[in-house]
Amino acid sequence: NAGVTQTPKFRILKIGQSMTLQCAQDMNHNYMYWYRQDPGMGLKLIYYSVGAGITDKGEVPNGYNVSRSTTEYFPLRLELAAPSQTSVYFCASSPPLRTGYQETQYFGPGTRLLVL
Amino acid sequence: GIQVEQSPPDLILQEGANSTLRCNFSDSVNNLQWFHQNPWGQLINLFYIPSGTKQNGRLSATTVATERYSLLYISSSQTTDSGVYFCAVGYNNNNAGNMLTFGGGTRLMVKP
């Protein structure tokens, strides 16, 4: 299994441009998450999905959109990029909750985004 | 929402020293995880420990859920332990899975 993969690894955007950060997982996990990590800070949840076709906002959703048409893919869309969106973006997934099991989140390697 | 505070924010150790990192959280949780973020940015899960004590080699963790804190112990530190240690908590439910709230991290540097 490749686990959670993210593309691109690094991107520079100009203010006002848009882009899509790609995330894929091959573990058949139903739960998927997008976090951002600002320099020197912890991770904050942007959006999450509990399954194909179902998404919801996290703590910092403004300026982003997501979609989840299949179990495997969970892309994050930035419209009208702003300098405040300069950050490292992590995608994560986790399996269904099962009584008695300890389900951790599996993280991708991150996408480093610089908006100038 | 739930608040997660980690201390100390920064820690410098000499190789071979021991250390204790603390995580305080503001509400009941049934999910607590410790992560290590290496200098290349990769997040590695260390422990899933909503309560009790676990050990893995030189690392161990204890969570006292009733008092809303968790401790991560690093013994005989090595330079490869350098990086940022995050505590993350949540309340597992079918509506959001095991969605996590992260603390601000403890930045550890181990000097040779």
mmCIF file with all atom_site columns, all heavy atoms in Angstrom, chain A residues 73-86:
data_model
loop_
_atom_site.group_PDB
_atom_site.id
_atom_site.type_symbol
_atom_site.label_atom_id
_atom_site.label_alt_id
_atom_site.label_comp_id
_atom_site.label_asym_id
_atom_site.label_entity_id
_atom_site.label_seq_id
_atom_site.pdbx_PDB_ins_code
_atom_site.Cartn_x
_atom_site.Cartn_y
_atom_site.Cartn_z
_atom_site.occupancy
_atom_site.B_iso_or_equiv
_atom_site.pdbx_formal_charge
_atom_site.auth_seq_id
_atom_site.auth_comp_id
_atom_site.auth_asym_id
_atom_site.auth_atom_id
_atom_site.pdbx_PDB_model_num
ATOM 1   N N   . TYR A 1 73 ? -10.223 9.519  -3.126 1.00 0.00 ? 73 TYR A N   1
ATOM 2   C CA  . TYR A 1 73 ? -9.707  10.852 -3.395 1.00 0.00 ? 73 TYR A CA  1
ATOM 3   C C   . TYR A 1 73 ? -10.450 11.921 -2.593 1.00 0.00 ? 73 TYR A C   1
ATOM 4   O O   . TYR A 1 73 ? -11.684 11.885 -2.466 1.00 0.00 ? 73 TYR A O   1
ATOM 5   C CB  . TYR A 1 73 ? -9.799  11.167 -4.891 1.00 0.00 ? 73 TYR A CB  1
ATOM 6   C CG  . TYR A 1 73 ? -9.027  10.211 -5.752 1.00 0.00 ? 73 TYR A CG  1
ATOM 7   C CD1 . TYR A 1 73 ? -9.672  9.198  -6.459 1.00 0.00 ? 73 TYR A CD1 1
ATOM 8   C CD2 . TYR A 1 73 ? -7.637  10.290 -5.840 1.00 0.00 ? 73 TYR A CD2 1
ATOM 9   C CE1 . TYR A 1 73 ? -8.976  8.302  -7.236 1.00 0.00 ? 73 TYR A CE1 1
ATOM 10  C CE2 . TYR A 1 73 ? -6.932  9.394  -6.619 1.00 0.00 ? 73 TYR A CE2 1
ATOM 11  C CZ  . TYR A 1 73 ? -7.601  8.405  -7.313 1.00 0.00 ? 73 TYR A CZ  1
ATOM 12  O OH  . TYR A 1 73 ? -6.895  7.509  -8.080 1.00 0.00 ? 73 TYR A OH  1
ATOM 13  N N   . PHE A 1 74 ? -9.676  12.904 -2.131 1.00 0.00 ? 74 PHE A N   1
ATOM 14  C CA  . PHE A 1 74 ? -10.256 13.991 -1.342 1.00 0.00 ? 74 PHE A CA  1
ATOM 15  C C   . PHE A 1 74 ? -9.492  15.272 -1.675 1.00 0.00 ? 74 PHE A C   1
ATOM 16  O O   . PHE A 1 74 ? -8.654  15.742 -0.908 1.00 0.00 ? 74 PHE A O   1
ATOM 17  C CB  . PHE A 1 74 ? -10.157 13.652 0.143  1.00 0.00 ? 74 PHE A CB  1
ATOM 18  C CG  . PHE A 1 74 ? -10.917 14.586 1.053  1.00 0.00 ? 74 PHE A CG  1
ATOM 19  C CD1 . PHE A 1 74 ? -12.150 15.102 0.714  1.00 0.00 ? 74 PHE A CD1 1
ATOM 20  C CD2 . PHE A 1 74 ? -10.395 14.918 2.304  1.00 0.00 ? 74 PHE A CD2 1
ATOM 21  C CE1 . PHE A 1 74 ? -12.850 15.941 1.562  1.00 0.00 ? 74 PHE A CE1 1
ATOM 22  C CE2 . PHE A 1 74 ? -11.086 15.758 3.168  1.00 0.00 ? 74 PHE A CE2 1
ATOM 23  C CZ  . PHE A 1 74 ? -12.312 16.268 2.792  1.00 0.00 ? 74 PHE A CZ  1
ATOM 24  N N   . PRO A 1 75 ? -9.779  15.895 -2.817 1.00 0.00 ? 75 PRO A N   1
ATOM 25  C CA  . PRO A 1 75 ? -9.039  17.095 -3.220 1.00 0.00 ? 75 PRO A CA  1
ATOM 26  C C   . PRO A 1 75 ? -9.480  18.335 -2.448 1.00 0.00 ? 75 PRO A C   1
ATOM 27  O O   . PRO A 1 75 ? -10.653 18.473 -2.071 1.00 0.00 ? 75 PRO A O   1
ATOM 28  C CB  . PRO A 1 75 ? -9.380  17.226 -4.714 1.00 0.00 ? 75 PRO A CB  1
ATOM 29  C CG  . PRO A 1 75 ? -10.695 16.535 -4.868 1.00 0.00 ? 75 PRO A CG  1
ATOM 30  C CD  . PRO A 1 75 ? -10.710 15.424 -3.854 1.00 0.00 ? 75 PRO A CD  1
ATOM 31  N N   . LEU A 1 76 ? -8.540  19.239 -2.239 1.00 0.00 ? 76 LEU A N   1
ATOM 32  C CA  . LEU A 1 76 ? -8.782  20.518 -1.568 1.00 0.00 ? 76 LEU A CA  1
ATOM 33  C C   . LEU A 1 76 ? -8.555  21.633 -2.577 1.00 0.00 ? 76 LEU A C   1
ATOM 34  O O   . LEU A 1 76 ? -7.498  21.726 -3.180 1.00 0.00 ? 76 LEU A O   1
ATOM 35  C CB  . LEU A 1 76 ? -7.822  20.690 -0.380 1.00 0.00 ? 76 LEU A CB  1
ATOM 36  C CG  . LEU A 1 76 ? -7.915  22.003 0.381  1.00 0.00 ? 76 LEU A CG  1
ATOM 37  C CD1 . LEU A 1 76 ? -9.194  22.043 1.214  1.00 0.00 ? 76 LEU A CD1 1
ATOM 38  C CD2 . LEU A 1 76 ? -6.695  22.176 1.302  1.00 0.00 ? 76 LEU A CD2 1
ATOM 39  N N   . ARG A 1 77 ? -9.545  22.477 -2.734 1.00 0.00 ? 77 ARG A N   1
ATOM 40  C CA  . ARG A 1 77 ? -9.506  23.553 -3.721 1.00 0.00 ? 77 ARG A CA  1
ATOM 41  C C   . ARG A 1 77 ? -9.294  24.889 -3.041 1.00 0.00 ? 77 ARG A C   1
ATOM 42  O O   . ARG A 1 77 ? -9.994  25.223 -2.074 1.00 0.00 ? 77 ARG A O   1
ATOM 43  C CB  . ARG A 1 77 ? -10.817 23.570 -4.496 1.00 0.00 ? 77 ARG A CB  1
ATOM 44  C CG  . ARG A 1 77 ? -10.943 24.658 -5.553 1.00 0.00 ? 77 ARG A CG  1
ATOM 45  C CD  . ARG A 1 77 ? -10.226 24.281 -6.814 1.00 0.00 ? 77 ARG A CD  1
ATOM 46  N NE  . ARG A 1 77 ? -10.407 25.308 -7.848 1.00 0.00 ? 77 ARG A NE  1
ATOM 47  C CZ  . ARG A 1 77 ? -9.665  25.370 -8.950 1.00 0.00 ? 77 ARG A CZ  1
ATOM 48  N NH1 . ARG A 1 77 ? -8.710  24.474 -9.172 1.00 0.00 ? 77 ARG A NH1 1
ATOM 49  N NH2 . ARG A 1 77 ? -9.892  26.306 -9.849 1.00 0.00 ? 77 ARG A NH2 1
ATOM 50  N N   . LEU A 1 78 ? -8.307  25.641 -3.514 1.00 0.00 ? 78 LEU A N   1
ATOM 51  C CA  . LEU A 1 78 ? -8.093  27.016 -3.070 1.00 0.00 ? 78 LEU A CA  1
ATOM 52  C C   . LEU A 1 78 ? -8.550  27.956 -4.186 1.00 0.00 ? 78 LEU A C   1
ATOM 53  O O   . LEU A 1 78 ? -8.057  27.866 -5.309 1.00 0.00 ? 78 LEU A O   1
ATOM 54  C CB  . LEU A 1 78 ? -6.615  27.295 -2.794 1.00 0.00 ? 78 LEU A CB  1
ATOM 55  C CG  . LEU A 1 78 ? -6.043  26.918 -1.455 1.00 0.00 ? 78 LEU A CG  1
ATOM 56  C CD1 . LEU A 1 78 ? -5.890  25.408 -1.351 1.00 0.00 ? 78 LEU A CD1 1
ATOM 57  C CD2 . LEU A 1 78 ? -4.711  27.604 -1.231 1.00 0.00 ? 78 LEU A CD2 1
ATOM 58  N N   . GLU A 1 79 ? -9.483  28.795 -3.889 1.00 0.00 ? 79 GLU A N   1
ATOM 59  C CA  . GLU A 1 79 ? -9.924  29.806 -4.833 1.00 0.00 ? 79 GLU A CA  1
ATOM 60  C C   . GLU A 1 79 ? -9.368  31.149 -4.381 1.00 0.00 ? 79 GLU A C   1
ATOM 61  O O   . GLU A 1 79 ? -9.379  31.454 -3.201 1.00 0.00 ? 79 GLU A O   1
ATOM 62  C CB  . GLU A 1 79 ? -11.458 29.886 -4.856 1.00 0.00 ? 79 GLU A CB  1
ATOM 63  C CG  . GLU A 1 79 ? -12.163 28.585 -5.144 1.00 0.00 ? 79 GLU A CG  1
ATOM 64  C CD  . GLU A 1 79 ? -12.150 28.191 -6.617 1.00 0.00 ? 79 GLU A CD  1
ATOM 65  O OE1 . GLU A 1 79 ? -11.558 28.931 -7.424 1.00 0.00 ? 79 GLU A OE1 1
ATOM 66  O OE2 . GLU A 1 79 ? -12.743 27.147 -6.943 1.00 0.00 ? 79 GLU A OE2 1
ATOM 67  N N   . LEU A 1 80 ? -8.871  31.952 -5.311 1.00 0.00 ? 80 LEU A N   1
ATOM 68  C CA  . LEU A 1 80 ? -8.389  33.299 -4.989 1.00 0.00 ? 80 LEU A CA  1
ATOM 69  C C   . LEU A 1 80 ? -7.360  33.260 -3.864 1.00 0.00 ? 80 LEU A C   1
ATOM 70  O O   . LEU A 1 80 ? -7.592  33.760 -2.758 1.00 0.00 ? 80 LEU A O   1
ATOM 71  C CB  . LEU A 1 80 ? -9.566  34.207 -4.601 1.00 0.00 ? 80 LEU A CB  1
ATOM 72  C CG  . LEU A 1 80 ? -10.631 34.430 -5.682 1.00 0.00 ? 80 LEU A CG  1
ATOM 73  C CD1 . LEU A 1 80 ? -11.795 35.215 -5.116 1.00 0.00 ? 80 LEU A CD1 1
ATOM 74  C CD2 . LEU A 1 80 ? -10.011 35.135 -6.888 1.00 0.00 ? 80 LEU A CD2 1
ATOM 75  N N   . ALA A 1 81 ? -6.219  32.640 -4.137 1.00 0.00 ? 81 ALA A N   1
ATOM 76  C CA  . ALA A 1 81 ? -5.198  32.451 -3.117 1.00 0.00 ? 81 ALA A CA  1
ATOM 77  C C   . ALA A 1 81 ? -4.777  33.780 -2.488 1.00 0.00 ? 81 ALA A C   1
ATOM 78  O O   . ALA A 1 81 ? -4.637  34.810 -3.173 1.00 0.00 ? 81 ALA A O   1
ATOM 79  C CB  . ALA A 1 81 ? -3.982  31.760 -3.725 1.00 0.00 ? 81 ALA A CB  1
ATOM 80  N N   . ALA A 1 82 ? -4.549  33.737 -1.174 1.00 0.00 ? 82 ALA A N   1
ATOM 81  C CA  . ALA A 1 82 ? -4.130  34.900 -0.405 1.00 0.00 ? 82 ALA A CA  1
ATOM 82  C C   . ALA A 1 82 ? -2.867  34.551 0.379  1.00 0.00 ? 82 ALA A C   1
ATOM 83  O O   . ALA A 1 82 ? -2.644  33.376 0.702  1.00 0.00 ? 82 ALA A O   1
ATOM 84  C CB  . ALA A 1 82 ? -5.234  35.325 0.560  1.00 0.00 ? 82 ALA A CB  1
ATOM 85  N N   . PRO A 1 83 ? -2.030  35.567 0.715  1.00 0.00 ? 83 PRO A N   1
ATOM 86  C CA  . PRO A 1 83 ? -0.805  35.288 1.483  1.00 0.00 ? 83 PRO A CA  1
ATOM 87  C C   . PRO A 1 83 ? -1.075  34.547 2.782  1.00 0.00 ? 83 PRO A C   1
ATOM 88  O O   . PRO A 1 83 ? -0.234  33.774 3.245  1.00 0.00 ? 83 PRO A O   1
ATOM 89  C CB  . PRO A 1 83 ? -0.229  36.681 1.721  1.00 0.00 ? 83 PRO A CB  1
ATOM 90  C CG  . PRO A 1 83 ? -0.728  37.490 0.575  1.00 0.00 ? 83 PRO A CG  1
ATOM 91  C CD  . PRO A 1 83 ? -2.109  36.972 0.298  1.00 0.00 ? 83 PRO A CD  1
ATOM 92  N N   . SER A 1 84 ? -2.256  34.755 3.383  1.00 0.00 ? 84 SER A N   1
ATOM 93  C CA  . SER A 1 84 ? -2.596  34.075 4.643  1.00 0.00 ? 84 SER A CA  1
ATOM 94  C C   . SER A 1 84 ? -2.754  32.565 4.462  1.00 0.00 ? 84 SER A C   1
ATOM 95  O O   . SER A 1 84 ? -2.809  31.823 5.449  1.00 0.00 ? 84 SER A O   1
ATOM 96  C CB  . SER A 1 84 ? -3.902  34.635 5.211  1.00 0.00 ? 84 SER A CB  1
ATOM 97  O OG  . SER A 1 84 ? -4.970  34.440 4.298  1.00 0.00 ? 84 SER A OG  1
ATOM 98  N N   . GLN A 1 85 ? -2.820  32.109 3.220  1.00 0.00 ? 85 GLN A N   1
ATOM 99  C CA  . GLN A 1 85 ? -2.938  30.674 2.959  1.00 0.00 ? 85 GLN A CA  1
ATOM 100 C C   . GLN A 1 85 ? -1.577  30.008 2.757  1.00 0.00 ? 85 GLN A C   1
ATOM 101 O O   . GLN A 1 85 ? -1.505  28.809 2.489  1.00 0.00 ? 85 GLN A O   1
ATOM 102 C CB  . GLN A 1 85 ? -3.840  30.420 1.755  1.00 0.00 ? 85 GLN A CB  1
ATOM 103 C CG  . GLN A 1 85 ? -5.287  30.812 2.030  1.00 0.00 ? 85 GLN A CG  1
ATOM 104 C CD  . GLN A 1 85 ? -6.191  30.608 0.831  1.00 0.00 ? 85 GLN A CD  1
ATOM 105 O OE1 . GLN A 1 85 ? -5.952  31.142 -0.252 1.00 0.00 ? 85 GLN A OE1 1
ATOM 106 N NE2 . GLN A 1 85 ? -7.248  29.836 1.013  1.00 0.00 ? 85 GLN A NE2 1
ATOM 107 N N   . THR A 1 86 ? -0.511  30.771 2.908  1.00 0.00 ? 86 THR A N   1
ATOM 108 C CA  . THR A 1 86 ? 0.823   30.184 2.923  1.00 0.00 ? 86 THR A CA  1
ATOM 109 C C   . THR A 1 86 ? 0.927   29.261 4.125  1.00 0.00 ? 86 THR A C   1
ATOM 110 O O   . THR A 1 86 ? 0.759   29.694 5.265  1.00 0.00 ? 86 THR A O   1
ATOM 111 C CB  . THR A 1 86 ? 1.899   31.282 3.005  1.00 0.00 ? 86 THR A CB  1
ATOM 112 O OG1 . THR A 1 86 ? 1.880   32.038 1.787  1.00 0.00 ? 86 THR A OG1 1
ATOM 113 C CG2 . THR A 1 86 ? 3.282   30.680 3.209  1.00 0.00 ? 86 THR A CG2 1
#
